[in-house]
């Protein structure tokens, strides 16, 4: 058998600013390639002089940019950062739309702004295209100013500007700051309120107003002044200047250098994956490095140079080699090439070095490691490791790319081609079993092939081998399926306390909580147990929406239950922790419920006016939210604030949401008992979650103090299903 060599590349090969792509760089699988360049319109037109400009730095944009590529069927590629986006994005022929977002989409903020850009394009077979996406600001931007007369009249003042979900507060100390608002799709108003202490008298002057027909990607400069010689609430006027944010200034995001492997004129970019390629005297191994500006350092280090005959070079910087040294290395079989402006450099193993590697198969000393460190003139750097392993196998079994590929009942297996093979699959079995099971024909992408296997047992260790037809690879790899987790106290049997009533046994560990901590201050519990209406056991959870009041002071409160903790009372509002640690990935939530939908008698929303039918909701989310700390509580996945002035609610569209399922209860259930409900969980990524959020509410819009005091939701016997 002809001796072959395969390449193991342990690398993370990405590029932000893409260079040209040749047809010879494409795969032979009928794909085309997209090179995507990202630009940002960052400067805002300034109408009022002296205003400060809040802009993101390049590094902030690098951390916050996300790229989505969709076709008519939905999302086909997603890059959580630009640093994950490869130099060439391989796509099957089709019509596509690229969407790039940068920054943070926050309801109202002085610091967080949001950018978005889109571009439609078409991929044809075997062709390479280059497209640019320019991201423009999507916020509604607000600046404020007071006339000299008003500043003299009001030495201290407060101005609030609000949209439906957030409020910013301006004072004499921060009046020069820009405010960034994110409008809902159906929202076209900003509300403002000015309160000033009249100089010399202490009289409080108040003036409120509304800016109508407000638009996204538009700046509004508000100038407050007095329209007569006397300052009073009725004499304050506001001049509004509207400016569309459509500048042509583009700021490119700087790229880190790219390191890639080339074989037979094909470029291979790998994401912490194992890759193997056929190797003989006709197949060179080429490492190419590219940067957007000239390189300043290109260091290659290997203890294996001596085994290849390069005895007096164990580490060298390609940028510092003399022409004599370059010729010497070339004669030894290590070829180095530069382009004219030093932005592209490559090295290759010539035939004599590849022969030495091939001959090492028999002695077992067949692994060669090369550490590569590069840096460009902008200070951007990258470090990768190339490992070459000589072998005479047809296929190789590879480690599963990440643990994210292993679920409770399914897994994606990885193998690689070493020789030309047309039939590829895998065999697998539980450790200790004598019987192999076989996957379907694997899917080939470049030289990596994968196959998803299903019907696995949770919490079991399996072994697997790549197959070339009926011939198994030499390597055997293992993986262990996820252990399915369930929700504690999911039948709501454990309760303690009186006012507030808690949903766990005394001395036990809290997992569930409710709004009882808030409502109990007014001698009511909105969530209780019910021994009469249940599916099994002794109790169900009864979520009853109510108007909670004491001495005429109160608010509408939805009957609710959630995974987390009620942290703090804020007036008639609450600050909550949503989420508990959870790393499993269920396919659906099954529960038993009864719902009575009342007639809305409290409303702050046009979406659900008085006398309409109330709606309940149940939703589950699994995600990897960055943890927060508040008031001594640590590791909070999502911090929720219900107070209108600084309302902060759960965002189901957040990029941190991995899996999500929801059921909106629009009708009362029939009968007096509980009925079964299944809520499928739709996964947007194969990332492993770190936390789970689950919320049930008798009034869906209870966070907005909207709903019916006649709405009640019973829940019992929640179960997570793994399929």
């Amino acid at each position: 058998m002809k001796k072959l060599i395969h390449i193991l590349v342990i690398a993370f090969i990405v590029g932000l600013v893409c260079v040209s792509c040749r047809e010879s760089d494409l795969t032979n699988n009928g794909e085309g390639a997209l090179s995507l360049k990202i630009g940002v319109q960052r400067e805002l037109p300034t109408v009022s002089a002296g205003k400060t400009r809040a802009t993101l730095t390049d590094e902030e944009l690098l951390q916050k940019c996300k790229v989505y590529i969709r076709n008519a069927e939905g999302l086909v590629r997603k890059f959580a950062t630009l640093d994950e986006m490869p130099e060439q994005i391989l796509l099957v022929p089709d019509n596509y739309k690229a969407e790039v977002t940068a920054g943070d989409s926050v309801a109202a903020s002085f610091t967080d702004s949001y950018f978005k850009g889109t571009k439609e394009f078409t991929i044809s077979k075997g062709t390479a295209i280059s497209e640019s996406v320019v991201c423009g600001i999507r916020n509604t931007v607000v600046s404020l100013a007071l006339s000299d007369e008003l500043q003299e009249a009001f030495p201290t003042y407060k101005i609030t500007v609000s949209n439906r979900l957030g409020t910013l507060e301006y004072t004499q100390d921060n009046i020069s700051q820009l405010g960034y608002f994110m409008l809902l799709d159906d929202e076209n108003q900003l509300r403002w309120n000015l309160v000033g202490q009249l100089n010399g008298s202490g009289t409080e002057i108040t003036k409120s107003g509304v800016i109508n027909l407000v638009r996204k990607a538009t700046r509004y400069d508000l100038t407050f002044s007095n329209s007569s010689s006397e300052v009073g609430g009725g004499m304050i006027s506001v001049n509004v200047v509207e400016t569309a944010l459509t500048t042509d200034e583009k700021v490119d995001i700087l790229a880190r250098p790219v390191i890639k492997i080339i074989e037979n004129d094909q470029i291979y970019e790998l994401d912490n994956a194992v890759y193997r390629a056929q190797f003989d005297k006709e197949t060179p191994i080429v490492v190419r490095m590219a940067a957007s500006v000239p390189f300043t350092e290109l260091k290659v280090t290997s203890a294996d140079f001596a085994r290849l005959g390069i005895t007096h070079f164990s580490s060298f910087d390609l940028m510092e080699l003399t022409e004599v040294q370059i010729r010497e290395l070339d004669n030894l079989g290590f070829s180095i090439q530069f382009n004219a402006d030093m932005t592209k450099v490559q090295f290759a193993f010539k035939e004599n070095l590849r022969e030495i590697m091939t001959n090492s198969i028999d002695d077992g000393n067949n692994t060669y490691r090369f550490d590569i460190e590069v840096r460009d003139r902008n200070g951007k750097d990258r470090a990768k490791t190339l490992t070459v392993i000589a072998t005479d196998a047809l296929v190789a079994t590879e480690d599963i790319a990440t643990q994210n590929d292993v679920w409770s009942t399914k897994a994606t297996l990885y193998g690689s081609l070493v020789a030309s093979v047309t039939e590829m699959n895998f065999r697998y079995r539980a450790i200790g079993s004598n019987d192999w099971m076989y996957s379907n024909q694997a899917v080939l992408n470049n030289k990596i092939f994968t196959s998803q296997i299903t019907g696995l047992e949770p919490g079991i260790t399996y072994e697997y081998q790549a197959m070339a037809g009926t011939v198994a690879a030499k390597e055997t790899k293992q993986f262990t399926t996820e252990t399915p987790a369930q929700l504690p106290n999911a039948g709501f049997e454990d309760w303690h306390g009186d006012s507030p009533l808690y949903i766990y046994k005394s001395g036990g560990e809290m997992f569930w909580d409710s709004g009882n901590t808030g409502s109990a201050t007014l001698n009511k519990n909105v969530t209780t147990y019910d021994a009469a209406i249940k599916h099994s056991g002794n109790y169900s959870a009864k979520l009853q929406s109510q108007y909670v009041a004491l001495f005429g002071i109160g608010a509408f409160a939805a009957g609710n239950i959630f995974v987390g903790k009620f942290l703090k009372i804020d007036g008639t509002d609450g600050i909550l922790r949503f989420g508990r640690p959870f790393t499993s990935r269920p396919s659906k939530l099954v529960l038993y419920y009864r719902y009575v939908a009342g007639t809305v008698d409290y409303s702050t929303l046009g979406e659900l006016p008085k006398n309409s039918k109330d709606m309940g909701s149940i939703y589950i989310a699994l995600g990897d939210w960055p943890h927060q700390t508040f008031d001594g509580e640590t590791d909070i996945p999502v911090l929720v604030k219900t107070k209108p002035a600084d309302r902060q609610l759960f965002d189901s569209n957040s990029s941190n949401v991995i899996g999500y399922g929801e059921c909106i209860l629009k009708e009362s259930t029939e009968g007096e008992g509980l009925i079964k409900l299944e809520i499928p969980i739709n996964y947007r990524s194969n990332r492993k979650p770190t936390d789970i959020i689950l919320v049930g509410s008798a009034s869906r819009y209870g966070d907005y103090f909207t709903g019916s005091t006649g709405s009640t939701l019973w829940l019992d016997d929640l179960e997570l299903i793994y399929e």
Side-chain angles (χ1 to χ4, degrees):
M1 178 182 294
K2 180 188 293 184
K3 292 183 178 180
L4 307 172
I5 195 165
H6 63 267
I7 304 171
L8 164 65
V9 182
I10 307 172
F12 187 72
I13 305 174
V14 295
L16 308 184
V17 179
C18 300
V19 298
S20 62
C21 174
R22 301 173 293 120
E23 287 193 25
S24 61
D25 295 333
L26 306 180
T27 71
N28 295 319
N29 297 327
E31 299 166 314
L34 168 70
S35 296
L36 202 59
K37 187 175 182 179
I38 310 300
V40 180
Q41 295 177 347
R42 301 194 301 174
E43 293 298 317
L44 307 184
T46 302
V47 177
S48 301
K51 300 295 182 221
T52 60
R53 301 177 182 179
T55 60
L56 296 172
T57 67
D58 286 345
E59 289 300 325
E60 290 171 331
L61 287 170
L62 287 174
Q63 296 172 6
K64 298 179 180 294
C65 271
K66 296 178 177 61
V67 179
Y68 306 85
I69 299 176
R70 297 179 172 88
N71 61 10
E73 297 181 356
L75 185 67
V76 297
R77 295 286 193 278
K78 177 184 176 181
F79 305 102
T81 66
L82 287 185
D83 205 27
E84 293 183 7
M85 187 174 70
E87 181 182 352
Q88 293 177 356
I89 305 170
L90 299 180
L91 299 166
V92 299
D94 205 346
N95 297 317
Y96 295 91
K97 183 178 181 180
E99 179 183 291
V100 182
T101 64
D104 288 320
S105 178
V106 179
S109 175
F110 286 119
T111 58
D112 296 324
S113 51
Y114 184 69
F115 301 82
K116 184 177 179 180
T118 60
K119 183 74 173 187
E120 294 183 354
F121 61 93
T122 300
I123 292 292
S124 302
K125 182 179 180 180
T127 62
I129 64 172
S130 180
E131 297 287 352
S132 296
V133 180
V134 179
C135 298
I137 195 164
R138 288 297 183 267
N139 299 95
T140 300
V141 183
V142 174
S143 78
L144 304 183
L146 270 66
S147 68
D148 293 340
E149 293 83 2
L150 278 188
Q151 291 185 52
E152 183 177 349
F154 297 143
T156 60
Y157 57 86
K158 180 176 72 174
I159 305 173
T160 59
V161 181
S162 306
N163 63 359
R164 193 180 300 170
L165 299 181
T167 299
L168 294 181
E169 182 177 291
Y170 296 80
T171 68
Q172 61 277 1
D173 297 325
N174 70 341
I175 192 68
S176 65
Q177 288 189 269
L178 294 177
Y180 299 91
F181 295 86
M182 287 300 301
L183 302 181
L184 300 175
D185 290 340
D186 62 346
E187 188 176 11
N188 62 359
Q189 289 185 334
L190 286 175
R191 297 172 294 281
W192 59 265
N193 183 74
L194 183 150
V195 179
Q197 298 291 330
L198 194 61
N199 190 18
S201 69
T203 302
E204 185 175 271
I205 304 297
T206 301
K207 181 74 172 179
S208 301
V210 177
I211 310 171
N212 292 306
L213 302 177
V214 174
R215 297 179 294 177
K216 299 178 181 180
T218 305
R219 174 169 173 160
Y220 295 87
D221 289 80
L222 281 63
T223 302
F224 296 83
S225 60
N226 59 305
S227 54
S228 75
S229 59
E230 295 184 11
V231 177
M235 300 300 166
I236 297 175
S237 62
V238 180
N239 181 57
V240 181
V241 177
E242 176 181 315
T243 309
L245 303 178
T246 56
T247 69
D248 294 327
E249 180 177 353
K250 301 177 184 178
V251 181
D252 290 335
I253 299 173
L254 300 177
R256 293 175 65 196
V258 176
I259 305 173
K260 52 194 174 184
I261 306 300
I262 305 173
E263 185 186 19
N264 290 330
D265 291 324
Q266 296 185 26
I267 298 176
Y268 302 111
E269 298 184 318
L270 304 151
D271 183 359
N272 290 335
V274 174
Y275 178 76
R276 302 173 191 255
Q278 181 174 328
F279 178 68
D280 57 31
K281 66 179 182 179
E282 303 297 332
T283 307
I285 303 171
V286 180
V287 179
R288 180 181 294 174
M289 297 149 287
S292 55
V293 296
F295 282 107
T296 58
E297 181 180 322
L298 291 162
K299 189 176 181 180
V300 182
T301 303
S302 178
D304 298 313
F305 275 135
R307 296 165 54 202
L308 298 173
I310 305 175
T311 56
H312 52 288
F313 286 110
S314 62
S315 180
F316 49 84
D317 188 341
L318 303 187
M319 302 296 297
E320 297 181 353
L321 294 175
T322 66
E323 292 186 7
V324 173
Q325 291 172 322
I326 292 174
R327 287 197 300 271
E328 181 182 357
L329 286 170
D330 187 80
N331 291 332
L332 293 171
F334 192 85
S335 175
I336 305 169
Q337 295 181 352
F338 301 86
N339 70 339
D341 62 359
M342 305 300 289
T343 58
K344 294 182 181 178
V345 184
Q346 70 178 40
F347 64 82
F349 300 92
K350 297 174 70 173
E351 182 179 347
N352 54 326
L353 294 188
R354 299 197 300 272
E355 185 176 357
I356 294 172
M357 295 177 183
T358 302
N359 292 336
S360 68
I361 294 175
D362 295 332
D363 62 24
N365 190 18
N366 57 337
T367 299
Y368 302 84
R369 172 175 171 143
F370 306 90
D371 296 315
I372 307 166
E373 302 172 77
V374 301
R375 182 182 298 272
D376 66 18
R377 194 172 60 192
N378 288 327
K380 304 292 183 179
D381 57 16
R382 194 178 296 277
K384 299 290 167 241
T385 297
L386 166 69
T387 302
V388 180
I389 303 174
T391 183
D392 55 6
L394 297 175
V395 294
T397 310
E398 305 292 355
D399 289 316
I400 291 174
T402 70
Q403 191 59 30
N404 297 341
D405 288 314
V406 181
W407 298 53
S408 294
T409 61
K410 63 183 181 181
T412 300
L413 307 182
Y414 286 75
S416 61
L417 295 184
V418 180
S420 180
V421 177
T422 58
E423 295 184 16
M424 301 152 292
N425 66 330
F426 297 88
R427 66 180 186 180
Y428 61 98
R429 63 186 178 188
I431 294 294
S433 173
N434 295 321
D435 299 324
W436 289 102
M437 294 174 286
Y438 295 85
S439 73
N440 295 325
Q441 172 75 4
V443 177
L444 180 64
N445 185 8
N446 294 333
K447 296 293 182 72
I448 296 293
F449 58 90
T450 60
S451 184
Q452 187 179 87
I453 56 175
T454 59
L456 304 176
E457 294 293 327
I460 299 296
T461 299
Y462 290 83
E463 60 182 355
Y464 66 99
Q465 293 175 318
M467 303 277 296
T470 60
V471 180
K474 296 179 179 180
E475 305 91 351
T476 300
K477 304 288 186 178
Q478 294 184 356
F479 66 90
T480 301
T481 52
E482 289 181 355
T483 300
Q486 289 295 337
L487 305 169
N489 197 25
F492 305 116
E493 298 297 302
D494 298 327
W495 303 76
H496 82 276
D498 182 21
S499 184
L501 179 64
Y502 293 108
I503 315 166
Y504 65 102
K505 66 175 63 176
S506 180
E509 184 175 348
M510 175 184 284
F511 185 82
W512 301 93
D513 206 353
S514 70
N516 288 349
T517 298
S519 64
T521 62
L522 302 177
N523 297 322
K524 285 189 179 181
N525 288 307
V526 295
T527 298
T528 59
Y529 55 86
D530 193 332
I533 301 175
K534 60 190 179 181
H535 175 251
S536 70
N538 297 316
Y539 308 113
S540 67
K542 181 181 180 182
L543 289 53
Q544 186 173 4
S545 297
Q546 305 173 48
Y547 185 81
V548 182
L550 185 67
F551 304 121
I553 301 173
F556 176 82
N560 63 85
I561 195 169
F562 59 91
V563 172
K565 182 180 181 181
F566 195 115
L567 299 178
K568 187 176 182 180
I569 299 170
D570 187 7
T572 58
D573 301 278
I575 300 175
L576 319 176
R577 169 204 174 118
F578 269 16
R580 296 287 186 185
F582 197 88
T583 59
S584 298
R585 288 173 288 185
S587 57
K588 60 184 175 183
L589 169 68
V590 176
L591 56 92
Y592 292 83
Y593 83 108
R594 181 189 178 195
Y595 184 56
V596 176
T599 300
V600 174
D601 45 7
Y602 293 92
S603 178
T604 66
L605 296 177
E607 294 90 336
L608 202 66
K610 285 186 177 182
N611 299 318
S612 62
K613 185 181 293 184
D614 200 4
M615 295 184 291
S617 70
I618 305 167
Y619 64 84
I620 181 173
L622 298 118
D624 53 3
W625 301 273
H627 285 189
Q628 307 174 59
T629 297
F630 177 82
D631 202 31
E633 182 82 5
T634 60
D635 295 325
I636 302 172
V638 175
L639 187 67
V640 172
K641 299 179 180 179
T642 64
K643 190 174 184 177
D646 59 347
R647 183 175 282 139
Q648 183 175 308
L649 304 179
F650 170 74
D651 180 10
S652 62
N653 296 314
S654 166
S655 61
N656 297 109
V657 175
I658 297 170
Y660 186 77
E662 181 180 21
C663 181
I664 298 173
L665 310 175
K666 298 181 179 181
E667 302 288 342
S668 299
T669 55
E670 297 181 357
E672 299 297 321
L674 277 65
I675 62 175
K676 186 177 181 179
L677 175 65
E678 294 187 0
I679 302 177
I681 301 173
N682 176 42
Y683 284 88
R684 307 165 186 177
S685 167
N686 72 337
R687 306 193 313 271
K688 285 182 68 69
T690 57
D691 301 279
I692 186 172
I693 289 173
L694 201 158
V695 178
S697 177
S699 297
R700 183 188 183 195
Y701 294 109
D703 291 329
Y704 298 94
F705 308 103
T706 296
S708 170
T709 53
S711 294
T712 306
L713 174 63
W714 289 262
L715 297 174
D716 201 5
D717 292 342
L718 280 65
E719 182 182 8
L720 298 173
I721 304 299
Y722 296 81
E723 295 177 342

